[in-house]
Amino acid sequence: MSWLAGAVDALTALSPALSQNVTNGLAWYGTLQAPTLPQYLDTLPGSWEYTNPAGTSVPDTGSTRIYDWVVARAIKAPDGYNKSVILINGQFPGPLIEANWGDTIQVTVRNEIEDTAEGLTLHWHGQPQRLSPGEDGVPAVSQCPIPPGSNLTYSFRAESFGTGWYHSHVSGQYTDGLYGPMVIYGPTQASYDVDIGPIMLSDYSHESYYQILQGGYRVPPVFPNVDNNLINGKGIFDCSAGDASNCTPYAGLAKFKFQRNKIHRLRLINTGGEGTQKFTIDNHTFNVIANDYVPVQPYETDVVTLGIGQRTDILVNGTDSMTGAYWMRSDLDIECLNLTATNSHALAAIYYPGANTSEVPRTTATPWLSNDCNNDALSKTIPYYPQVPPPAPATTAIINITVSANATGSFIFFVNGSSFEGDYNDPLLPLAEAANLTGIPAARNLYDFGSNSSIRIIIENYWPTEHPMHLHGHDFWILATGLGRWDENVTNPSNPQRRDTQLLAPAAPDGTPSYLVIEFMADNPGVWPLHCHTTIHVSAGLLINVLERPDLLATQKSPDPIQQTCASWVAWSKGNYVDQIDSGL
């Protein structure tokens, strides 16, 4: 942390060198003018009272939350370094989606990316889409990309409540800025006074996602460098470490207001593409109340570990003794990153009443350990609303993750010997709904689990990097994690941790594989990707598609707007070159 520590220690005031518009456009995240969030929108939905949060039923509030977005590129400088980023309605990161549990969310997405002519989709990370599998937003799986000059209206129910996010699922596109937070208000098992709102933690590169992919597929590969680490899209950069003519020092850090004698809810989201974050606040401890969209029995900690795609809600008590300014910190876990980083540390300032909001905090960091690239122990993370897995799964699959060279000499990921490659023009879900999966190429990595009522997947990692494994369509039970061969012991068998993303540790230096054992009920017919959320890993093929209850898919049909988008994409791609150099996701 030598450069960043020295840079802030030398400051006499924490004043941004660039305007909010230059760094983040119209976004308000990380500014002292940012609003706090309510406990629900409008009036308390009466349907919550009659819906069990422990089950899969979803209340129907009858309300629709409507959003209309324009997606386009522009030059912004989130950390002072000018870069072409992707904005939604002129914002970096993108706008906050707010809804009550059971509301319908309707988002019209207008693709006005012109200079690079890119297709796009939006995926609503962690929302199970039981009522709308065609709205999952995955190219080559649930839909075709939205072509430039076209639009698509997504419509789905807010089926899970808590903290989430959305992002593009086209290649590594979201790391150029095409992402934002979601807050679904719902029942809470822990009281608090102030909802600070989303706190997005993002590793950040000054290269475009496409340049990073090009380097990764060279022979030998050129691995990306992480240039910076941001909190709510804001940071500062050592301009002498790059093109100083394209960079402004001390662009500006995120700032937050806390209150004494109040309990604050912070909604932490790892929206990065490459690394695990370690979140701390100097001189403060936390109570964890949710992991992903799953409320947990509160437990105390002073550091939160967040793999890519994961969310954790914490409560932070501003005691009567708190005065002045404190550092909020998020550090990339360098031991687990396996990449170089110019600056792996992110800072933001917290101010209590009476403090000068230009004051530079002089507080001391909380130490933390790498924890062998794992999340918190499963024995600590106990769901608040219990769910018991079946005594035995109806079916079990074992999948092995390996790395080797493909026919062109590029090193890519393989799952059971097959590397995923998607076809933007021929997504899998409409084919499955039409019972037309005969002849599907092996590279689609489609695993047909038939009519089995529950599915257990044992994931074994033979490569010495971590993988934040994300399953679409489900919160899965996490039965076990470890090194070697699973001994079939389950942690908290009567109520295992559930979430939609979980860290799979690296293989041991001697080649011993790590494992992650997940299980879920096959109660959501669809085609659901299971993949690593590290962008360069899923781009290199680390994905399988779970075909769930194909016997019931024949009664479903992708919505007309999704089908029309495919027709528009096919027509556009006939006249325009689509340079898909990776898996497509």
Side-chain angles (χ1 to χ4, degrees):
M1 195 174 179
S2 55
W3 172 82
L4 186 61
V8 295
D9 283 347
L11 292 174
T12 57
L14 206 59
S15 301
L18 295 175
S19 70
Q20 180 71 7
N21 184 59
V22 170
T23 57
N24 302 93
L26 300 177
W28 46 258
Y29 310 114
T31 67
L32 293 174
Q33 294 73 40
T36 57
L37 301 186
Q39 292 201 332
Y40 47 83
L41 299 178
D42 305 326
T43 59
L44 179 66
S47 56
W48 290 1
E49 182 179 352
Y50 307 105
T51 309
N52 180 10
T56 58
S57 298
V58 180
D60 186 355
T61 63
S63 296
T64 300
R65 310 294 170 178
I66 298 174
Y67 297 86
D68 196 323
W69 290 350
V70 173
V71 179
R73 281 192 175 270
I75 301 297
K76 295 296 174 186
D79 63 350
Y81 194 94
N82 291 318
K83 176 183 174 179
S84 172
V85 296
I86 304 177
L87 306 179
I88 301 176
N89 288 2
Q91 300 180 43
F92 177 95
L96 170 66
I97 285 181
E98 294 177 273
N100 290 327
W101 183 36
D103 286 353
T104 295
I105 298 171
Q106 183 177 299
V107 186
T108 298
V109 180
R110 306 178 190 278
N111 183 356
E112 295 189 6
I113 302 176
E114 296 176 351
D115 49 349
T116 51
E118 304 166 57
L120 65 89
T121 69
L122 286 182
H123 167 60
W124 321 99
H125 186 113
Q127 284 296 320
Q129 305 287 1
R130 285 189 178 85
L131 304 174
S132 50
E135 308 284 355
D136 196 40
V138 184
V141 180
S142 58
Q143 68 169 94
C144 301
I146 306 167
S150 188
N151 66 81
L152 170 63
T153 297
Y154 292 96
S155 183
F156 59 95
R157 192 87 65 83
E159 299 177 36
S160 295
F161 60 85
T163 301
W165 67 306
Y166 60 85
H167 58 84
S168 171
H169 227 308
V170 170
S171 191
Q173 192 179 54
Y174 82 80
T175 60
D176 276 3
L178 191 42
Y179 66 87
M182 294 179 65
V183 173
I184 310 300
Y185 302 105
T188 179
Q189 82 281 21
S191 61
Y192 55 90
D193 302 301
V194 182
D195 191 333
I196 296 295
I199 298 180
M200 292 166 278
L201 315 173
S202 303
D203 54 69
Y204 184 68
S205 174
H206 295 155
E207 288 191 308
S208 71
Y209 79 89
Y210 189 77
Q211 290 172 310
I212 290 172
L213 290 179
Q214 285 179 313
Y217 288 110
R218 290 195 180 107
V219 181
V222 177
F223 294 108
N225 175 69
V226 175
D227 288 299
N228 214 338
N229 204 21
L230 309 180
I231 294 178
N232 275 357
K234 303 179 77 65
I236 58 176
F237 185 67
D238 179 6
C239 292
S240 66
D243 180 1
S245 66
N246 197 38
C247 183
T248 301
Y250 301 107
L253 297 175
K255 295 181 178 182
F256 300 90
K257 288 182 179 179
F258 274 25
Q259 300 179 37
R260 283 190 290 273
N261 297 315
K262 299 292 185 182
I263 298 174
H264 307 78
R265 180 174 186 164
L266 279 62
R267 300 172 179 271
L268 310 179
I269 315 169
N270 185 340
T271 55
E274 308 301 342
T276 292
Q277 301 277 356
K278 297 285 190 175
F279 178 89
T280 59
I281 299 176
D282 297 356
N283 300 355
H284 290 69
T285 58
F286 320 133
N287 276 307
V288 174
I289 62 168
N291 283 322
D292 298 347
Y293 278 123
V294 179
V296 298
Q297 296 178 18
Y299 64 93
E300 187 173 296
T301 186
D302 57 8
V303 58
V304 176
T305 300
L306 288 152
I308 301 164
Q310 292 185 319
R311 293 88 64 211
T312 292
D313 288 38
I314 59 174
L315 301 183
V316 184
N317 190 11
T319 66
D320 189 52
S321 62
M322 294 295 185
T323 59
Y326 297 82
W327 283 125
M328 173 189 292
R329 306 176 190 262
S330 196
D331 301 323
L332 286 169
D333 190 341
I334 290 294
E335 289 186 32
C336 306
L337 184 64
N338 286 300
L339 297 172
T340 58
T342 304
N343 175 47
S344 60
H345 310 282
L347 290 174
I350 293 172
Y351 296 101
Y352 278 91
N356 180 345
T357 55
S358 294
E359 178 185 349
V360 180
R362 304 297 180 187
T363 50
T364 303
T366 301
W368 52 264
L369 299 174
S370 182
N371 194 31
D372 298 322
C373 309
N374 286 297
N375 285 118
D376 288 347
L378 296 178
S379 58
K380 292 175 63 176
T381 54
I382 303 171
Y384 185 80
Y385 300 106
Q387 287 185 11
V388 183
T395 187
T396 298
I398 300 175
I399 62 174
N400 297 324
I401 297 171
T402 56
V403 172
S404 61
N406 64 8
T408 64
S410 298
F411 282 88
I412 60 176
F413 281 92
F414 290 82
V415 183
N416 286 354
S418 178
S419 186
F420 171 76
E421 182 180 354
D423 183 347
Y424 287 163
N425 291 47
D426 208 13
L428 292 170
L429 179 62
L431 294 175
E433 291 172 336
N436 187 25
L437 292 171
T438 304
I440 290 294
R444 302 297 175 264
N445 281 10
L446 187 66
Y447 283 61
D448 185 350
F449 287 95
S451 59
N452 287 289
S453 60
S454 63
I455 300 167
R456 177 180 292 174
I457 301 178
I458 302 170
I459 310 168
E460 297 180 340
N461 177 25
Y462 287 83
W463 190 247
T465 57
E466 66 176 5
H467 302 295
M469 299 301 297
H470 172 53
L471 175 64
H472 294 222
H474 291 276
D475 291 321
F476 49 77
W477 288 294
I478 304 161
L479 304 185
T481 62
L483 279 175
R485 301 296 178 187
W486 180 44
D487 60 8
E488 300 196 5
N489 284 324
V490 175
T491 305
N492 296 331
S494 62
N495 186 23
Q497 165 75 78
R498 302 187 306 277
R499 62 189 313 170
D500 58 62
T501 310
Q502 175 71 14
L503 282 172
L504 169 61
D510 65 0
T512 301
S514 60
Y515 63 80
L516 165 64
V517 184
I518 67 172
E519 190 169 326
F520 52 96
M521 301 304 297
D523 55 5
N524 192 7
V527 180
W528 305 114
L530 169 62
H531 63 90
C532 175
H533 220 292
T534 304
T535 54
I536 57 175
H537 293 182
V538 67
S539 288
L542 207 172
L543 179 147
I544 68 169
N545 285 295
V546 174
L547 176 58
E548 183 175 339
R549 296 305 302 268
D551 54 316
L552 300 180
L553 278 174
T555 64
Q556 298 181 176
K557 179 185 175 184
S558 293
D560 290 341
I562 298 289
Q563 297 182 57
Q564 180 55 49
T565 294
C566 260
S568 299
W569 172 262
V570 169
W572 183 86
S573 62
K574 284 181 179 178
N576 295 271
Y577 177 60
V578 180
D579 192 12
Q580 182 184 330
I581 63 173
D582 66 346
S583 72
L585 272 65

